[in-house]
PDB file of all heavy atoms in Angstrom:
ATOM      1  N   ALA A  14     104.207 -78.482  -2.623  1.00  0.00           N
ATOM      2  CA  ALA A  14     105.404 -77.681  -2.890  1.00  0.00           C
ATOM      3  C   ALA A  14     106.416 -77.824  -1.758  1.00  0.00           C
ATOM      4  O   ALA A  14     107.624 -77.887  -2.005  1.00  0.00           O
ATOM      5  CB  ALA A  14     105.026 -76.216  -3.104  1.00  0.00           C
ATOM      6  N   ALA A  15     105.936 -77.904  -0.524  1.00  0.00           N
ATOM      7  CA  ALA A  15     106.848 -78.105   0.601  1.00  0.00           C
ATOM      8  C   ALA A  15     107.540 -79.465   0.498  1.00  0.00           C
ATOM      9  O   ALA A  15     108.753 -79.573   0.720  1.00  0.00           O
ATOM     10  CB  ALA A  15     106.099 -77.985   1.926  1.00  0.00           C
ATOM     11  N   VAL A  16     106.789 -80.488   0.120  1.00  0.00           N
ATOM     12  CA  VAL A  16     107.385 -81.819  -0.066  1.00  0.00           C
ATOM     13  C   VAL A  16     108.453 -81.767  -1.150  1.00  0.00           C
ATOM     14  O   VAL A  16     109.573 -82.263  -0.970  1.00  0.00           O
ATOM     15  CB  VAL A  16     106.299 -82.866  -0.407  1.00  0.00           C
ATOM     16  CG1 VAL A  16     106.914 -84.157  -0.933  1.00  0.00           C
ATOM     17  CG2 VAL A  16     105.430 -83.149   0.814  1.00  0.00           C
ATOM     18  N   GLU A  17     108.126 -81.149  -2.275  1.00  0.00           N
ATOM     19  CA  GLU A  17     109.096 -81.052  -3.373  1.00  0.00           C
ATOM     20  C   GLU A  17     110.333 -80.258  -2.955  1.00  0.00           C
ATOM     21  O   GLU A  17     111.461 -80.612  -3.310  1.00  0.00           O
ATOM     22  CB  GLU A  17     108.458 -80.425  -4.608  1.00  0.00           C
ATOM     23  CG  GLU A  17     107.439 -81.312  -5.281  1.00  0.00           C
ATOM     24  CD  GLU A  17     108.052 -82.477  -6.045  1.00  0.00           C
ATOM     25  OE1 GLU A  17     109.259 -82.769  -5.920  1.00  0.00           O
ATOM     26  OE2 GLU A  17     107.297 -83.117  -6.787  1.00  0.00           O
ATOM     27  N   ALA A  18     110.140 -79.189  -2.194  1.00  0.00           N
ATOM     28  CA  ALA A  18     111.275 -78.391  -1.726  1.00  0.00           C
ATOM     29  C   ALA A  18     112.160 -79.213  -0.802  1.00  0.00           C
ATOM     30  O   ALA A  18     113.393 -79.164  -0.905  1.00  0.00           O
ATOM     31  CB  ALA A  18     110.782 -77.133  -1.010  1.00  0.00           C
ATOM     32  N   LEU A  19     111.548 -79.955   0.091  1.00  0.00           N
ATOM     33  CA  LEU A  19     112.320 -80.795   1.000  1.00  0.00           C
ATOM     34  C   LEU A  19     113.089 -81.872   0.242  1.00  0.00           C
ATOM     35  O   LEU A  19     114.268 -82.106   0.513  1.00  0.00           O
ATOM     36  CB  LEU A  19     111.393 -81.428   2.041  1.00  0.00           C
ATOM     37  CG  LEU A  19     110.846 -80.446   3.074  1.00  0.00           C
ATOM     38  CD1 LEU A  19     109.665 -81.064   3.823  1.00  0.00           C
ATOM     39  CD2 LEU A  19     111.938 -80.006   4.036  1.00  0.00           C
ATOM     40  N   LEU A  20     112.432 -82.508  -0.716  1.00  0.00           N
ATOM     41  CA  LEU A  20     113.112 -83.523  -1.518  1.00  0.00           C
ATOM     42  C   LEU A  20     114.261 -82.919  -2.315  1.00  0.00           C
ATOM     43  O   LEU A  20     115.348 -83.497  -2.391  1.00  0.00           O
ATOM     44  CB  LEU A  20     112.118 -84.214  -2.461  1.00  0.00           C
ATOM     45  CG  LEU A  20     111.064 -85.095  -1.788  1.00  0.00           C
ATOM     46  CD1 LEU A  20     110.006 -85.511  -2.797  1.00  0.00           C
ATOM     47  CD2 LEU A  20     111.710 -86.302  -1.120  1.00  0.00           C
ATOM     48  N   ALA A  21     114.027 -81.735  -2.895  1.00  0.00           N
ATOM     49  CA  ALA A  21     115.067 -81.077  -3.691  1.00  0.00           C
ATOM     50  C   ALA A  21     116.268 -80.675  -2.846  1.00  0.00           C
ATOM     51  O   ALA A  21     117.389 -80.581  -3.349  1.00  0.00           O
ATOM     52  CB  ALA A  21     114.498 -79.844  -4.403  1.00  0.00           C
ATOM     53  N   SER A  22     116.040 -80.476  -1.555  1.00  0.00           N
ATOM     54  CA  SER A  22     117.151 -80.098  -0.676  1.00  0.00           C
ATOM     55  C   SER A  22     117.753 -81.302   0.046  1.00  0.00           C
ATOM     56  O   SER A  22     118.572 -81.140   0.947  1.00  0.00           O
ATOM     57  CB  SER A  22     116.701 -79.035   0.328  1.00  0.00           C
ATOM     58  OG  SER A  22     115.719 -79.558   1.194  1.00  0.00           O
ATOM     59  N   GLY A  23     117.336 -82.507  -0.352  1.00  0.00           N
ATOM     60  CA  GLY A  23     117.972 -83.709   0.171  1.00  0.00           C
ATOM     61  C   GLY A  23     117.280 -84.403   1.330  1.00  0.00           C
ATOM     62  O   GLY A  23     117.809 -85.362   1.882  1.00  0.00           O
ATOM     63  N   THR A  24     116.105 -83.948   1.712  1.00  0.00           N
ATOM     64  CA  THR A  24     115.368 -84.593   2.796  1.00  0.00           C
ATOM     65  C   THR A  24     114.794 -85.913   2.288  1.00  0.00           C
ATOM     66  O   THR A  24     114.263 -85.977   1.187  1.00  0.00           O
ATOM     67  CB  THR A  24     114.230 -83.678   3.293  1.00  0.00           C
ATOM     68  OG1 THR A  24     114.798 -82.438   3.724  1.00  0.00           O
ATOM     69  CG2 THR A  24     113.460 -84.301   4.442  1.00  0.00           C
ATOM     70  N   SER A  25     114.882 -86.939   3.085  1.00  0.00           N
ATOM     71  CA  SER A  25     114.391 -88.263   2.668  1.00  0.00           C
ATOM     72  C   SER A  25     112.880 -88.367   2.871  1.00  0.00           C
ATOM     73  O   SER A  25     112.285 -87.657   3.699  1.00  0.00           O
ATOM     74  CB  SER A  25     115.072 -89.360   3.479  1.00  0.00           C
ATOM     75  OG  SER A  25     114.608 -89.347   4.818  1.00  0.00           O
ATOM     76  N   TRP A  26     112.300 -89.300   2.133  1.00  0.00           N
ATOM     77  CA  TRP A  26     110.872 -89.577   2.297  1.00  0.00           C
ATOM     78  C   TRP A  26     110.591 -90.072   3.714  1.00  0.00           C
ATOM     79  O   TRP A  26     109.516 -89.810   4.269  1.00  0.00           O
ATOM     80  CB  TRP A  26     110.386 -90.590   1.268  1.00  0.00           C
ATOM     81  CG  TRP A  26     109.955 -89.955  -0.015  1.00  0.00           C
ATOM     82  CD1 TRP A  26     110.611 -90.000  -1.213  1.00  0.00           C
ATOM     83  CD2 TRP A  26     108.772 -89.185  -0.243  1.00  0.00           C
ATOM     84  NE1 TRP A  26     109.905 -89.293  -2.161  1.00  0.00           N
ATOM     85  CE2 TRP A  26     108.772 -88.782  -1.596  1.00  0.00           C
ATOM     86  CE3 TRP A  26     107.713 -88.778   0.565  1.00  0.00           C
ATOM     87  CZ2 TRP A  26     107.756 -88.015  -2.154  1.00  0.00           C
ATOM     88  CZ3 TRP A  26     106.699 -88.006   0.016  1.00  0.00           C
ATOM     89  CH2 TRP A  26     106.719 -87.631  -1.322  1.00  0.00           C
ATOM     90  N   ASP A  27     111.518 -90.784   4.310  1.00  0.00           N
ATOM     91  CA  ASP A  27     111.311 -91.265   5.676  1.00  0.00           C
ATOM     92  C   ASP A  27     111.178 -90.100   6.659  1.00  0.00           C
ATOM     93  O   ASP A  27     110.347 -90.141   7.566  1.00  0.00           O
ATOM     94  CB  ASP A  27     112.443 -92.198   6.104  1.00  0.00           C
ATOM     95  CG  ASP A  27     112.347 -93.565   5.431  1.00  0.00           C
ATOM     96  OD1 ASP A  27     111.215 -94.046   5.215  1.00  0.00           O
ATOM     97  OD2 ASP A  27     113.396 -94.151   5.128  1.00  0.00           O
ATOM     98  N   ARG A  28     111.990 -89.084   6.486  1.00  0.00           N
ATOM     99  CA  ARG A  28     111.893 -87.898   7.368  1.00  0.00           C
ATOM    100  C   ARG A  28     110.598 -87.144   7.123  1.00  0.00           C
ATOM    101  O   ARG A  28     109.976 -86.636   8.059  1.00  0.00           O
ATOM    102  CB  ARG A  28     113.100 -86.984   7.173  1.00  0.00           C
ATOM    103  CG  ARG A  28     114.362 -87.617   7.768  1.00  0.00           C
ATOM    104  CD  ARG A  28     115.522 -86.680   7.845  1.00  0.00           C
ATOM    105  NE  ARG A  28     115.217 -85.574   8.756  1.00  0.00           N
ATOM    106  CZ  ARG A  28     115.788 -84.376   8.667  1.00  0.00           C
ATOM    107  NH1 ARG A  28     116.703 -84.146   7.743  1.00  0.00           N
ATOM    108  NH2 ARG A  28     115.483 -83.431   9.509  1.00  0.00           N
ATOM    109  N   ILE A  29     110.181 -87.064   5.853  1.00  0.00           N
ATOM    110  CA  ILE A  29     108.906 -86.420   5.529  1.00  0.00           C
ATOM    111  C   ILE A  29     107.770 -87.207   6.172  1.00  0.00           C
ATOM    112  O   ILE A  29     106.856 -86.626   6.771  1.00  0.00           O
ATOM    113  CB  ILE A  29     108.732 -86.288   4.006  1.00  0.00           C
ATOM    114  CG1 ILE A  29     109.745 -85.274   3.449  1.00  0.00           C
ATOM    115  CG2 ILE A  29     107.301 -85.888   3.647  1.00  0.00           C
ATOM    116  CD1 ILE A  29     109.863 -85.256   1.937  1.00  0.00           C
ATOM    117  N   ALA A  30     107.829 -88.533   6.065  1.00  0.00           N
ATOM    118  CA  ALA A  30     106.809 -89.387   6.688  1.00  0.00           C
ATOM    119  C   ALA A  30     106.732 -89.132   8.188  1.00  0.00           C
ATOM    120  O   ALA A  30     105.637 -88.999   8.748  1.00  0.00           O
ATOM    121  CB  ALA A  30     107.109 -90.856   6.402  1.00  0.00           C
ATOM    122  N   ALA A  31     107.884 -89.062   8.833  1.00  0.00           N
ATOM    123  CA  ALA A  31     107.906 -88.818  10.276  1.00  0.00           C
ATOM    124  C   ALA A  31     107.272 -87.472  10.612  1.00  0.00           C
ATOM    125  O   ALA A  31     106.506 -87.363  11.572  1.00  0.00           O
ATOM    126  CB  ALA A  31     109.340 -88.888  10.797  1.00  0.00           C
ATOM    127  N   ALA A  32     107.569 -86.456   9.816  1.00  0.00           N
ATOM    128  CA  ALA A  32     107.000 -85.131  10.057  1.00  0.00           C
ATOM    129  C   ALA A  32     105.479 -85.132   9.901  1.00  0.00           C
ATOM    130  O   ALA A  32     104.776 -84.374  10.578  1.00  0.00           O
ATOM    131  CB  ALA A  32     107.621 -84.113   9.103  1.00  0.00           C
ATOM    132  N   LEU A  33     104.988 -85.993   9.014  1.00  0.00           N
ATOM    133  CA  LEU A  33     103.547 -86.081   8.772  1.00  0.00           C
ATOM    134  C   LEU A  33     102.858 -87.094   9.684  1.00  0.00           C
ATOM    135  O   LEU A  33     101.639 -87.274   9.611  1.00  0.00           O
ATOM    136  CB  LEU A  33     103.284 -86.460   7.305  1.00  0.00           C
ATOM    137  CG  LEU A  33     103.732 -85.439   6.272  1.00  0.00           C
ATOM    138  CD1 LEU A  33     103.569 -86.006   4.862  1.00  0.00           C
ATOM    139  CD2 LEU A  33     102.954 -84.136   6.426  1.00  0.00           C
ATOM    140  N   GLY A  34     103.639 -87.774  10.523  1.00  0.00           N
ATOM    141  CA  GLY A  34     103.064 -88.771  11.417  1.00  0.00           C
ATOM    142  C   GLY A  34     102.649 -90.045  10.702  1.00  0.00           C
ATOM    143  O   GLY A  34     101.732 -90.736  11.147  1.00  0.00           O
ATOM    144  N   LEU A  35     103.330 -90.355   9.608  1.00  0.00           N
ATOM    145  CA  LEU A  35     103.015 -91.542   8.814  1.00  0.00           C
ATOM    146  C   LEU A  35     104.071 -92.621   9.055  1.00  0.00           C
ATOM    147  O   LEU A  35     105.195 -92.321   9.428  1.00  0.00           O
ATOM    148  CB  LEU A  35     102.939 -91.164   7.333  1.00  0.00           C
ATOM    149  CG  LEU A  35     101.829 -90.163   6.999  1.00  0.00           C
ATOM    150  CD1 LEU A  35     101.970 -89.649   5.575  1.00  0.00           C
ATOM    151  CD2 LEU A  35     100.467 -90.795   7.211  1.00  0.00           C
ATOM    152  N   PRO A  36     103.724 -93.886   8.802  1.00  0.00           N
ATOM    153  CA  PRO A  36     104.619 -94.985   9.154  1.00  0.00           C
ATOM    154  C   PRO A  36     105.864 -95.140   8.281  1.00  0.00           C
ATOM    155  O   PRO A  36     106.804 -95.821   8.691  1.00  0.00           O
ATOM    156  CB  PRO A  36     103.727 -96.229   9.032  1.00  0.00           C
ATOM    157  CG  PRO A  36     102.637 -95.837   8.110  1.00  0.00           C
ATOM    158  CD  PRO A  36     102.431 -94.364   8.325  1.00  0.00           C
ATOM    159  N   GLY A  37     105.912 -94.554   7.108  1.00  0.00           N
ATOM    160  CA  GLY A  37     107.105 -94.721   6.283  1.00  0.00           C
ATOM    161  C   GLY A  37     107.011 -93.968   4.971  1.00  0.00           C
ATOM    162  O   GLY A  37     106.023 -93.279   4.684  1.00  0.00           O
ATOM    163  N   ALA A  38     108.064 -94.132   4.187  1.00  0.00           N
ATOM    164  CA  ALA A  38     108.200 -93.401   2.929  1.00  0.00           C
ATOM    165  C   ALA A  38     107.042 -93.680   1.973  1.00  0.00           C
ATOM    166  O   ALA A  38     106.492 -92.753   1.363  1.00  0.00           O
ATOM    167  CB  ALA A  38     109.531 -93.756   2.262  1.00  0.00           C
ATOM    168  N   GLU A  39     106.676 -94.943   1.842  1.00  0.00           N
ATOM    169  CA  GLU A  39     105.599 -95.298   0.906  1.00  0.00           C
ATOM    170  C   GLU A  39     104.279 -94.642   1.309  1.00  0.00           C
ATOM    171  O   GLU A  39     103.537 -94.133   0.470  1.00  0.00           O
ATOM    172  CB  GLU A  39     105.449 -96.813   0.846  1.00  0.00           C
ATOM    173  CG  GLU A  39     104.536 -97.282  -0.269  1.00  0.00           C
ATOM    174  CD  GLU A  39     104.540 -98.794  -0.401  1.00  0.00           C
ATOM    175  OE1 GLU A  39     105.636 -99.377  -0.514  1.00  0.00           O
ATOM    176  OE2 GLU A  39     103.440 -99.366  -0.377  1.00  0.00           O
ATOM    177  N   ALA A  40     103.998 -94.625   2.592  1.00  0.00           N
ATOM    178  CA  ALA A  40     102.771 -93.992   3.078  1.00  0.00           C
ATOM    179  C   ALA A  40     102.802 -92.490   2.809  1.00  0.00           C
ATOM    180  O   ALA A  40     101.792 -91.892   2.417  1.00  0.00           O
ATOM    181  CB  ALA A  40     102.590 -94.253   4.564  1.00  0.00           C
ATOM    182  N   ALA A  41     103.959 -91.868   3.004  1.00  0.00           N
ATOM    183  CA  ALA A  41     104.089 -90.430   2.751  1.00  0.00           C
ATOM    184  C   ALA A  41     103.915 -90.116   1.271  1.00  0.00           C
ATOM    185  O   ALA A  41     103.259 -89.134   0.910  1.00  0.00           O
ATOM    186  CB  ALA A  41     105.443 -89.923   3.240  1.00  0.00           C
ATOM    187  N   GLN A  42     104.486 -90.946   0.421  1.00  0.00           N
ATOM    188  CA  GLN A  42     104.340 -90.734  -1.020  1.00  0.00           C
ATOM    189  C   GLN A  42     102.878 -90.845  -1.424  1.00  0.00           C
ATOM    190  O   GLN A  42     102.384 -90.028  -2.207  1.00  0.00           O
ATOM    191  CB  GLN A  42     105.202 -91.729  -1.793  1.00  0.00           C
ATOM    192  CG  GLN A  42     106.676 -91.445  -1.664  1.00  0.00           C
ATOM    193  CD  GLN A  42     107.549 -92.560  -2.219  1.00  0.00           C
ATOM    194  OE1 GLN A  42     107.090 -93.670  -2.484  1.00  0.00           O
ATOM    195  NE2 GLN A  42     108.825 -92.272  -2.384  1.00  0.00           N
ATOM    196  N   GLY A  43     102.189 -91.834  -0.895  1.00  0.00           N
ATOM    197  CA  GLY A  43     100.770 -91.996  -1.215  1.00  0.00           C
ATOM    198  C   GLY A  43      99.921 -90.859  -0.675  1.00  0.00           C
ATOM    199  O   GLY A  43      99.036 -90.347  -1.363  1.00  0.00           O
ATOM    200  N   ALA A  44     100.204 -90.451   0.557  1.00  0.00           N
ATOM    201  CA  ALA A  44      99.409 -89.410   1.202  1.00  0.00           C
ATOM    202  C   ALA A  44      99.601 -88.044   0.561  1.00  0.00           C
ATOM    203  O   ALA A  44      98.709 -87.195   0.610  1.00  0.00           O
ATOM    204  CB  ALA A  44      99.752 -89.335   2.690  1.00  0.00           C
ATOM    205  N   THR A  45     100.748 -87.822  -0.046  1.00  0.00           N
ATOM    206  CA  THR A  45     101.033 -86.502  -0.619  1.00  0.00           C
ATOM    207  C   THR A  45     100.961 -86.477  -2.144  1.00  0.00           C
ATOM    208  O   THR A  45     101.218 -85.435  -2.748  1.00  0.00           O
ATOM    209  CB  THR A  45     102.423 -86.006  -0.174  1.00  0.00           C
ATOM    210  OG1 THR A  45     103.423 -86.915  -0.638  1.00  0.00           O
ATOM    211  CG2 THR A  45     102.501 -85.842   1.340  1.00  0.00           C
ATOM    212  N   ALA A  46     100.592 -87.587  -2.771  1.00  0.00           N
ATOM    213  CA  ALA A  46     100.597 -87.659  -4.241  1.00  0.00           C
ATOM    214  C   ALA A  46      99.726 -86.588  -4.881  1.00  0.00           C
ATOM    215  O   ALA A  46     100.148 -85.913  -5.836  1.00  0.00           O
ATOM    216  CB  ALA A  46     100.162 -89.049  -4.702  1.00  0.00           C
ATOM    217  N   GLU A  47      98.517 -86.390  -4.372  1.00  0.00           N
ATOM    218  CA  GLU A  47      97.628 -85.372  -4.933  1.00  0.00           C
ATOM    219  C   GLU A  47      98.218 -83.973  -4.739  1.00  0.00           C
ATOM    220  O   GLU A  47      98.166 -83.132  -5.640  1.00  0.00           O
ATOM    221  CB  GLU A  47      96.251 -85.450  -4.270  1.00  0.00           C
ATOM    222  CG  GLU A  47      95.263 -84.418  -4.786  1.00  0.00           C
ATOM    223  CD  GLU A  47      93.935 -84.457  -4.054  1.00  0.00           C
ATOM    224  OE1 GLU A  47      93.617 -85.451  -3.385  1.00  0.00           O
ATOM    225  OE2 GLU A  47      93.208 -83.451  -4.159  1.00  0.00           O
ATOM    226  N   SER A  48      98.797 -83.732  -3.576  1.00  0.00           N
ATOM    227  CA  SER A  48      99.397 -82.431  -3.287  1.00  0.00           C
ATOM    228  C   SER A  48     100.599 -82.158  -4.180  1.00  0.00           C
ATOM    229  O   SER A  48     100.774 -81.048  -4.677  1.00  0.00           O
ATOM    230  CB  SER A  48      99.819 -82.356  -1.817  1.00  0.00           C
ATOM    231  OG  SER A  48      98.699 -82.419  -0.976  1.00  0.00           O
ATOM    232  N   VAL A  49     101.425 -83.174  -4.385  1.00  0.00           N
ATOM    233  CA  VAL A  49     102.603 -83.016  -5.247  1.00  0.00           C
ATOM    234  C   VAL A  49     102.171 -82.728  -6.681  1.00  0.00           C
ATOM    235  O   VAL A  49     102.740 -81.854  -7.342  1.00  0.00           O
ATOM    236  CB  VAL A  49     103.514 -84.263  -5.148  1.00  0.00           C
ATOM    237  CG1 VAL A  49     104.571 -84.269  -6.231  1.00  0.00           C
ATOM    238  CG2 VAL A  49     104.160 -84.320  -3.766  1.00  0.00           C
ATOM    239  N   ALA A  50     101.138 -83.411  -7.154  1.00  0.00           N
ATOM    240  CA  ALA A  50     100.635 -83.151  -8.507  1.00  0.00           C
ATOM    241  C   ALA A  50     100.077 -81.733  -8.621  1.00  0.00           C
ATOM    242  O   ALA A  50     100.318 -81.039  -9.620  1.00  0.00           O
ATOM    243  CB  ALA A  50      99.565 -84.176  -8.879  1.00  0.00           C
ATOM    244  N   ALA A  51      99.362 -81.278  -7.605  1.00  0.00           N
ATOM    245  CA  ALA A  51      98.815 -79.915  -7.614  1.00  0.00           C
ATOM    246  C   ALA A  51      99.940 -78.881  -7.591  1.00  0.00           C
ATOM    247  O   ALA A  51      99.875 -77.849  -8.273  1.00  0.00           O
ATOM    248  CB  ALA A  51      97.877 -79.716  -6.422  1.00  0.00           C
ATOM    249  N   ALA A  52     100.983 -79.156  -6.831  1.00  0.00           N
ATOM    250  CA  ALA A  52     102.128 -78.242  -6.768  1.00  0.00           C
ATOM    251  C   ALA A  52     102.869 -78.205  -8.094  1.00  0.00           C
ATOM    252  O   ALA A  52     103.314 -77.139  -8.536  1.00  0.00           O
ATOM    253  CB  ALA A  52     103.078 -78.653  -5.648  1.00  0.00           C
ATOM    254  N   ASP A  53     102.992 -79.348  -8.733  1.00  0.00           N
ATOM    255  CA  ASP A  53     103.647 -79.405 -10.033  1.00  0.00           C
ATOM    256  C   ASP A  53     102.892 -78.549 -11.046  1.00  0.00           C
ATOM    257  O   ASP A  53     103.499 -77.786 -11.805  1.00  0.00           O
ATOM    258  CB  ASP A  53     103.751 -80.856 -10.505  1.00  0.00           C
ATOM    259  CG  ASP A  53     104.584 -80.991 -11.759  1.00  0.00           C
ATOM    260  OD1 ASP A  53     105.728 -80.496 -11.772  1.00  0.00           O
ATOM    261  OD2 ASP A  53     104.078 -81.594 -12.731  1.00  0.00           O
ATOM    262  N   GLU A  54     101.575 -78.634 -11.021  1.00  0.00           N
ATOM    263  CA  GLU A  54     100.758 -77.811 -11.923  1.00  0.00           C
ATOM    264  C   GLU A  54     100.915 -76.326 -11.595  1.00  0.00           C
ATOM    265  O   GLU A  54     101.041 -75.489 -12.490  1.00  0.00           O
ATOM    266  CB  GLU A  54      99.291 -78.228 -11.836  1.00  0.00           C
ATOM    267  CG  GLU A  54      98.356 -77.397 -12.680  1.00  0.00           C
ATOM    268  CD  GLU A  54      98.690 -77.421 -14.166  1.00  0.00           C
ATOM    269  OE1 GLU A  54      99.207 -78.431 -14.672  1.00  0.00           O
ATOM    270  OE2 GLU A  54      98.436 -76.397 -14.838  1.00  0.00           O
ATOM    271  N   ALA A  55     100.937 -75.991 -10.317  1.00  0.00           N
ATOM    272  CA  ALA A  55     101.132 -74.593  -9.914  1.00  0.00           C
ATOM    273  C   ALA A  55     102.495 -74.078 -10.359  1.00  0.00           C
ATOM    274  O   ALA A  55     102.624 -72.935 -10.803  1.00  0.00           O
ATOM    275  CB  ALA A  55     100.978 -74.453  -8.391  1.00  0.00           C
TER     276      ALA A  55
END
């Protein structure tokens, strides 16, 4: 839900990746895919 909120407010995947200590947008998308799906269901 935090990822979705950040994306909805214009935060880039690259910034999300940096916050998570990941190397880039693709890594952040992969690392958070399960969480994003769970948030969508919630």
Side-chain angles (χ1 to χ4, degrees):
V16 166
E17 290 286 11
L19 289 165
L20 292 170
S22 65
T24 302
S25 71
W26 272 108
D27 286 325
R28 289 191 64 206
I29 292 168
L33 295 173
L35 297 170
E39 190 173 307
Q42 290 170 346
T45 61
E47 180 184 342
S48 295
V49 168
D53 188 53
E54 177 59 31

